[in-house]
Amino acid sequence: ADVTIYYAPGQKPFGTGTAAAAAQTSLIPGKSYAVLNTTELPPPAPPNPLPSMQFDITLQSSGTPGLSINQQAGFLGFSVEMSVANQILGKNSRSTLIQVPFLNLMSALIERSGRVNVRVGGNTQEQAALVDSLPDGRMLSKGDRSQASNPTATPPIIYTLDLLILMREISNLLNVRWYLGAPFNDTSHLKLDIIEHGQAILGDYLLGMQVGNEPDLFNVGQRARPSEIQTFITGVNNDAAITNKSMLMGPSVSGNGNFTEQQVWDAGFIQPDILNSMSHLTVEHYQDNNCALFFAGIGPLRDPQDLFPNFLKHSAGKSVIQPFINTPNAIAVPNKKPYIMMETNTASCGGFPGISDSFGAALWGIDYSMQLAYSNFSGAMMHVGGLTAFYNVRISSATNESSFHGWSVGPIYYSTLVMAEAMGPTNASQILDLKANNNSDFTPAYAIYENGVPARIALFNYIDDPSGASTYSATVSINGGSPLSQVKVKYLTAPSVSTKYNFTWAGQTFGGVYESDGRIKGDLDVKTVTCNGGNCVIQVPAPSFALVFLSEQAFSGSDTGTTVTFPTTVFTKTLNTATVDASILATSNGH
Ligand SMILES: *[C@@H]1O[C@H](CO)[C@@H](O)[C@H](O)[C@H]1NC(C)=O
Ligand SMILES: *[C@@H]1O[C@H](CO)[C@@H](O)[C@H](O)[C@H]1NC(C)=O
Ligand SMILES: *[C@@H]1O[C@H](CO)[C@@H](O)[C@H](O)[C@H]1NC(C)=O
């Protein structure tokens, strides 16, 4: 009551008011940003009858048959559609404009597995053209969607060398390795410049060059692309600016097109003059597609509610691999070529709202990736699209809102984080599908071995049941060697398979929509389970995923516990801010 408030000239005590929060609408007519979609599908009811809620997992301390081949660190990586590289990686190579959340997200993976592999390519690689410069310091520009002549009508793009320099700058900060895509749509006019410059700029950080993307979907009738690979290879061999002539990757069929992978093999792909040019063999496949949302005439719109249960079971990931199941053992391993699932996710054409962005997709992503590793694939790249895709592992906010919105970290990023930790950094991990609980589709389990010794166990519960009646307990033990006395457990949890954000991995989270700068937040919560006579009982709530660490080495070995983090050092849209020198503020006597 004794205080008098004086207002500066022109300022009056207006009181306070409220206004609507800044809203975001889509730049693409008729399509809203995927992160704004709030669809939470009702979760499927628990199966009736329930699978057994108690079962044993007994591993052998050595000599276990049926393990996968040795898997390299960084098994699960990302496939970034070339046209959105400027949203995901950064604006250009000036290091102030690399996306800080991207660096932080990659750093969290490197903390666990020592490296991350990222592919830049996709449909847009086919019509990508290198230009000397673009206005406003841009490195990438999208053309007119109506000029697109690729299967998903993605607009043609033009790019500058700055895209490759940006990738190199990222690798100078963090151990990120790259796959790049070269166009294969017109073998009478080869465009090899991306290989020439890719090798010169990325050096050892370039892992391979993909020859064409899903050539079986090219709009060229029943033409046999396999024979044209020879033309491409001859072009590479005659190009003096290409120093490494044996880092090509193919055939990258989609499994849905004009010819099958088997037809590519039958057409003579597997012969020395082709294989000598190849560093990897590749394929691309999604579990399903939502293309009816984009294109007329390819069938009715699909209802995500009907499809949700298809993703919430062990046989889901297996079904994606099934068409290619023989390739690893019959073609890739005997010819000493790693076989990579180059582009994949829940559903092509952006995924399904309520499925691709749900906790269920995070469980699906881990199970599917582990199944790929168990099936002797050597790596997999989860696809990242633009702002309208539901399956994104993480996505930036629109440019004009980046000063007040962070990123939204989606389910598949959590899958990648868990995979990095489950497989670890040793390059000597092998994985076994345990076909647990009588091979139940709802409670799958895997064991991960390091140098032949059991290191970690992965336990899934796909059932959605808040009552607790579907929480199962797995009794874990190891035959031979000294009995287990205690194990550590990390959980990936969310209230429901339908939940969209705020999942926790060992108690930590990337939060909700627009909340993340790429650093995981919250207190680490690792459970310790004391074992009784070598038997360790692990509770697995419905739904959740649990990673059991069978030794201290298996625990500390796959998470160094120190993440390099990156601060935001540049701000845009600072025009409405005032700066006051701290020393003046301190003596300003309140003015
Ligand atoms: C950002 O741009 C979009 C498209 O022009 C617009 O709809 C949206 O309102 C803008 N956001 C802000 C905060 O200005
Ligand atoms: C993977 O390869 C290993 C080694 O060749 C083999 O023993 C194992 O059976 C293969 N796994 C599958 C699922 O085919
Ligand atoms: C794993 O392999 C990569 C690539 O060959 C190599 O850079 C890394 O040092 C290896 N890690 C270990 C622990 O040997």
Side-chain angles (χ1 to χ4, degrees):
D2 296 332
V3 174
T4 306
I5 299 174
Y6 296 93
Y7 292 90
Q11 287 187 357
K12 283 197 199 126
F14 287 117
T16 57
T18 55
Q24 182 171 291
T25 52
S26 178
L27 303 177
I28 301 175
K31 289 270 301 165
S32 68
Y33 289 141
V35 288
L36 299 180
N37 183 290
T38 52
T39 309
E40 282 201 10
L41 302 171
N48 184 10
L50 278 181
S52 173
M53 288 292 118
Q54 263 182 329
F55 58 91
D56 294 341
I57 292 179
T58 307
L59 306 181
Q60 306 301 319
S61 62
S62 63
T64 308
L67 305 187
S68 74
I69 53 176
N70 271 356
Q71 296 294 359
Q72 292 275 308
F75 181 90
L76 188 58
F78 306 105
S79 157
V80 175
E81 187 65 43
M82 194 170 180
S83 58
V84 299
N86 55 349
Q87 290 171 32
I88 307 296
L89 308 181
K91 291 243 168 242
N92 57 42
S93 68
R94 279 169 286 154
S95 57
T96 50
L97 291 166
I98 298 177
Q99 290 276 14
V100 168
F102 174 79
L103 291 177
N104 284 332
L105 289 168
M106 295 304 105
S107 187
L109 301 174
I110 289 163
E111 169 186 342
R112 290 163 173 83
S113 58
R115 63 190 277 155
V116 187
N117 302 333
V118 180
R119 173 254 192 154
V120 175
N123 276 319
T124 47
Q125 85 191 40
E126 295 296 351
Q127 290 179 284
L130 180 63
V131 294
D132 288 339
S133 71
L134 284 167
D136 304 327
R138 289 181 193 194
M139 60 171 198
L140 193 68
S141 184
K142 267 199 231 186
D144 181 355
R145 186 171 278 263
S146 67
Q147 291 167 20
S149 65
N150 55 53
T152 51
T154 328
I157 55 173
I158 43 181
Y159 68 99
T160 70
L161 282 186
D162 216 21
L163 172 62
L164 303 176
I165 297 169
L166 167 74
M167 290 159 64
R168 175 65 200 222
E169 290 285 344
I170 290 170
S171 298
N172 289 345
L173 296 169
L174 288 168
N175 190 15
V176 178
R177 312 256 160 179
W178 307 94
Y179 301 110
L180 267 178
F184 186 51
N185 58 340
D186 182 358
T187 40
S188 45
H189 303 93
L190 294 176
K191 276 193 280 186
L192 302 176
D193 44 11
I194 195 163
I195 309 183
E196 299 165 4
H197 296 293
Q199 290 188 348
I201 293 170
L202 294 170
D204 285 349
Y205 293 104
L206 182 64
L207 297 172
M209 290 292 321
Q210 189 187 9
V211 184
N213 181 74
E214 301 179 333
D216 54 325
L217 292 180
F218 284 6
N219 194 15
V220 289
Q222 298 285 341
R223 218 159 73 176
R225 305 297 307 186
S227 63
E228 290 177 65
I229 194 79
Q230 300 272 19
T231 313
F232 194 95
I233 288 173
T234 303
V236 167
N237 289 342
N238 292 339
D239 185 337
I242 296 179
T243 50
N244 181 342
K245 307 204 188 281
S246 53
M247 57 155 53
L248 304 181
M249 309 173 77
S252 307
V253 298
S254 72
N256 305 315
N258 296 324
F259 48 85
T260 64
E261 188 186 65
Q262 187 60 47
Q263 284 172 295
V264 177
W265 309 145
D266 294 346
F269 196 95
I270 302 302
Q271 53 178 294
D273 58 339
I274 294 180
L275 287 182
N276 288 344
S277 299
M278 297 280 153
S279 55
H280 303 72
L281 301 177
T282 50
V283 64
E284 301 187 7
H285 201 53
Y286 289 73
Q287 174 158 336
D288 207 326
N289 78 78
N290 195 14
C291 296
L293 193 62
F294 288 85
F295 305 109
I298 61 162
L301 275 178
R302 320 274 306 280
D303 182 356
Q305 188 72 62
D306 298 340
L307 304 172
F308 200 16
N310 298 350
F311 292 85
L312 301 173
K313 54 186 184 182
H314 188 43
S315 47
K318 285 185 178 178
S319 73
V320 194
I321 302 170
Q322 191 52 45
F324 319 102
I325 194 73
N326 294 324
T327 303
N329 298 330
I331 307 278
V333 172
N335 288 294
K336 301 192 170 55
K337 301 293 173 194
Y339 184 48
I340 311 284
M341 180 60 80
M342 200 63 176
E343 177 182 321
T344 189
N345 212 305
T346 42
S348 57
C349 292
F352 292 104
I355 297 177
S356 304
D357 49 2
S358 71
F359 182 63
L363 299 177
W364 172 90
I366 305 168
D367 189 1
Y368 168 41
S369 304
M370 290 190 170
Q371 192 63 218
L372 282 161
Y374 166 65
S375 304
N376 291 332
F377 282 66
S378 292
M381 306 290 131
M382 288 289 183
H383 199 55
V384 185
L387 290 162
T388 56
F390 293 100
Y391 51 54
N392 283 333
V393 294
R394 72 272 156 172
I395 194 73
S396 53
S397 44
T399 312
N400 62 345
E401 304 188 351
S402 59
S403 57
F404 58 95
H405 276 154
W407 281 28
S408 316
V409 176
I412 298 291
Y413 181 80
Y414 288 85
S415 310
T416 317
L417 190 73
V418 169
M419 267 304 277
E421 201 160 331
M423 303 298 283
T426 60
N427 301 330
S429 56
Q430 293 169 280
I431 188 163
L432 180 66
D433 183 342
L434 296 172
K435 306 189 165 68
N437 201 11
N438 287 320
N439 210 7
S440 161
D441 227 6
F442 300 97
T443 62
Y446 296 84
I448 296 100
Y449 297 74
E450 302 275 12
N451 299 304
V453 176
R456 292 173 281 273
I457 293 178
L459 301 167
F460 298 74
N461 192 339
Y462 277 115
I463 303 168
D464 193 293
D465 184 357
S467 78
S470 307
T471 296
Y472 71 77
S473 47
T475 303
V476 169
S477 61
I478 302 182
N479 264 343
S482 52
L484 294 169
S485 59
Q486 62 169 45
V487 294
K488 286 189 168 143
V489 187
K490 285 187 177 181
Y491 288 96
L492 181 69
T493 59
S496 160
V497 291
S498 306
T499 306
K500 293 217 193 216
Y501 283 100
N502 293 308
F503 315 151
T504 57
W505 171 238
Q508 299 182 300
T509 185
F510 293 97
V513 179
Y514 295 139
E515 283 182 4
S516 184
D517 65 0
R519 291 177 294 180
I520 198 161
K521 300 280 168 63
D523 294 332
L524 186 67
D525 178 17
V526 182
K527 307 288 184 203
T528 300
V529 173
T530 306
C531 313
N532 187 356
N535 295 314
C536 321
V537 180
I538 316 294
Q539 303 283 329
V540 186
S544 71
F545 167 86
L547 188 61
V548 184
F549 299 86
L550 298 171
S551 68
E552 202 47 47
Q553 171 57 28
F555 181 73
S556 58
S558 66
D559 186 353
T560 58
T562 45
T563 317
V564 179
T565 58
F566 295 86
T568 301
T569 54
V570 64
F571 298 88
T572 56
K573 296 205 146 205
T574 52
L575 63 167
N576 291 327
T577 59
T579 308
V580 179
D581 187 295
S583 63
I584 293 175
L585 184 65
T587 56
S588 70
N589 198 23
H591 295 294

